[in-house]
Amino acid sequence: MAQASTIGFRFERSLSRAPARVGSRDTSSARLRAPARRPVPRSLGGEKRGNAVRISASSGASESSPFRMIVLRHSDSCTQDADLRDHDRPLTSWGRTAAAKLCSELVAKGWAEPDLVLCSASTRSRETLGEMVRTHAPLGKAETHFMGSLYAFAAMDGLTADHLRETVAGLVEREGGRDNRVRTVMVIGHNKGWEEAATDFAGQTVKLRVANAALLEFAGEGAGTWAEAFNQNAWRLTGVAKHGLREPEKECETEFGGDGDGPMPMPA
């Protein structure tokens, strides 16, 4: 199996890399591992089929657990290289610390071991997840997909929530009978789409700064699958997890405005 390196962690490719395009389902898929100098998380156990990993009955989720979503915005990023694409902007040193602190907050709240992770393919999103795995290695056990579409849809007005509904339900149900084993899903990506999606799910305004995560729990009745839960759209906001650090002075300024909160036709 071919291997590729990135800052902070290694990937095992299960698909050939394909160019990202709007509407694409999954541009790359991988199982995340902790760095070699740390304990390597155990795999979920199961077999690969296509571009997904079938989760075995040994997964920690149970049918009695509620459906839960973690809508997590990547940590702080910027670059001094004006030629660097927005997609390739790395985390700042403060951003790496903030990602680790956010992960510790998720651990304290009991939300740090999702069964499925969908992560934007952008560098800042991948590095946010990498810092979190280094902080809490069990996070690396989750079935993880790196998706160009999460980057693209986050920049479009009002489309992110529907894309997340379709993508989560499609991945979970692809092989059937897995809803009882995938109860918590973490999605890592960008504003403005992430705030819009969290607000849509929660039915109230949700603000997500960098390295913040909206914690959502299904509060409806009778939903046996993710698709049914999404159809009811009855989600309760249990809180917004934050890194708890003082906001930094910018280490660098770019045409994209540092962490990307300015008005621009690209995800922040």
Side-chain angles (χ1 to χ4, degrees), residues 4-27:
S5 298
T6 190
I7 298 175
F9 49 89
R10 290 191 300 127
F11 300 95
E12 285 186 10
R13 300 287 188 187
S14 60
L15 284 179
S16 298
R17 188 173 181 84
R21 67 181 188 278
V22 175
S24 64
R25 173 59 59 87
D26 194 349
T27 59

Side-chain angles (χ1 to χ4, degrees), residues 27 87-88 115-116 121 147 150 175 193 239:
T27 59
H87 186 279
D88 299 333
D115 306 297
L116 176 67
M147 305 180 67
L150 299 187
E175 297 187 27

